[in-house]
Amino acid sequence: MLNDIFTLPTPPRLLPIGVMLFNLLFFLVAIPIEAYVFNFRLKFDKKTSIFYAIATNLFSGTIGWVIFFILEPTLPPEFKSELINYVFFNNFRSPTTQATLIFTTSIIFFATFLMKFLLLQLLVFTLREDGWKKPEIVETSQRRQLRRSIPGIKLQTTNLVTTTLIANSFSYTVITIILLIRNR
């Protein structure tokens, strides 16, 4: 009993090196694309854009893997078999697996988009220079006058949603093209 407490866990005998390398490749593709979109659309400087792209991608990737490792034990045996077959041998045995894969990737895309948007919004508002200061409450008529006098005011949240959706779409498109090239 005492020996069980002090024994170190053994590393797995078989590592999915291919999956790990492709995840690294996806980060190396997604981060520059999303940083460029943040720079172009949100007018951040390059350093800030790269920081936000790295933070959002690594955070969403980490959360995605955590969710995967939580859900994987609950999968039915036939899905586990298909998953292992795809990860290690890059093929499917069942023809219905591709439909399930398309549905799953759609869910992953929108979940990743939502995570990236929430994190980007959190980062933008916490790292701004004036901190968490509440804006002064201005009467409705004064707000309208202020909006008319300054034509460059945009609703920041809508701009963040659109920018995050564009950045995520571009990076997922390039990753899909890479996967299609890999499978040929």
Side-chain angles (χ1 to χ4, degrees):
M1 179 73 171
L2 189 59
N3 286 337
D4 291 338
I5 295 173
F6 294 110
T7 59
L8 296 173
T10 59
R13 295 176 190 233
L14 187 60
L15 289 174
I17 301 289
V19 172
M20 294 163 60
L21 290 176
F22 266 98
N23 198 17
L24 178 65
L25 175 68
F26 296 156
F27 283 140
L28 291 176
V29 167
I31 289 170
I33 290 171
E34 293 182 13
Y36 176 77
V37 172
F38 293 158
N39 181 313
F40 182 76
R41 298 244 334 149
L42 297 175
K43 306 297 185 218
F44 293 145
D45 62 340
K46 290 181 181 183
K47 188 176 181 180
T48 305
S49 299
I50 292 170
F51 170 75
Y52 286 152
I54 289 171
T56 56
N57 277 289
L58 291 180
F59 177 79
S60 64
T62 303
I63 294 297
W65 279 109
V66 168
I67 291 171
F68 170 77
F69 287 125
I70 290 171
L71 291 180
E72 190 269 334
T74 64
L75 291 175
E78 58 271 4
F79 283 138
K80 283 184 181 182
S81 174
E82 285 292 322
L83 183 65
I84 290 170
N85 198 30
Y86 182 72
V87 166
F88 288 112
F89 305 114
N90 196 26
N91 61 8
F92 297 113
R93 283 188 266 165
S94 173
T96 60
T97 304
Q98 290 183 350
T100 306
L101 183 67
I102 291 171
F103 177 71
T104 305
T105 54
S106 299
I107 291 172
I108 290 170
F109 173 81
F110 287 111
T112 305
F113 160 69
L114 184 63
M115 280 191 287
K116 286 181 180 181
F117 166 69
L118 293 175
L119 182 64
L120 183 63
Q121 189 175 28
L122 180 72
L123 288 172
V124 166
F125 290 126
T126 56
L127 297 178
R128 64 182 181 190
E129 292 175 7
D130 59 350
W132 282 96
K133 290 182 185 174
K134 269 189 162 179
E136 295 179 16
I137 298 175
V138 183
E139 292 181 24
T140 308
S141 61
Q142 290 177 345
R143 284 186 190 163
R144 287 186 189 141
Q145 289 175 357
L146 182 63
R147 286 184 189 152
R148 289 182 189 143
S149 66
I150 305 173
I153 291 181
K154 292 181 181 177
L155 186 60
Q156 184 69 20
T157 305
T158 305
N159 199 14
L160 282 177
V161 169
T162 306
T163 302
T164 307
L165 183 61
I166 290 170
N168 201 35
S169 298
F170 281 167
S171 64
Y172 266 73
T173 301
V174 172
I175 288 169
T176 303
I177 290 169
I178 290 171
L179 286 173
L180 289 173
I181 291 170
R182 174 184 174 227
N183 287 335
R184 286 190 178 207

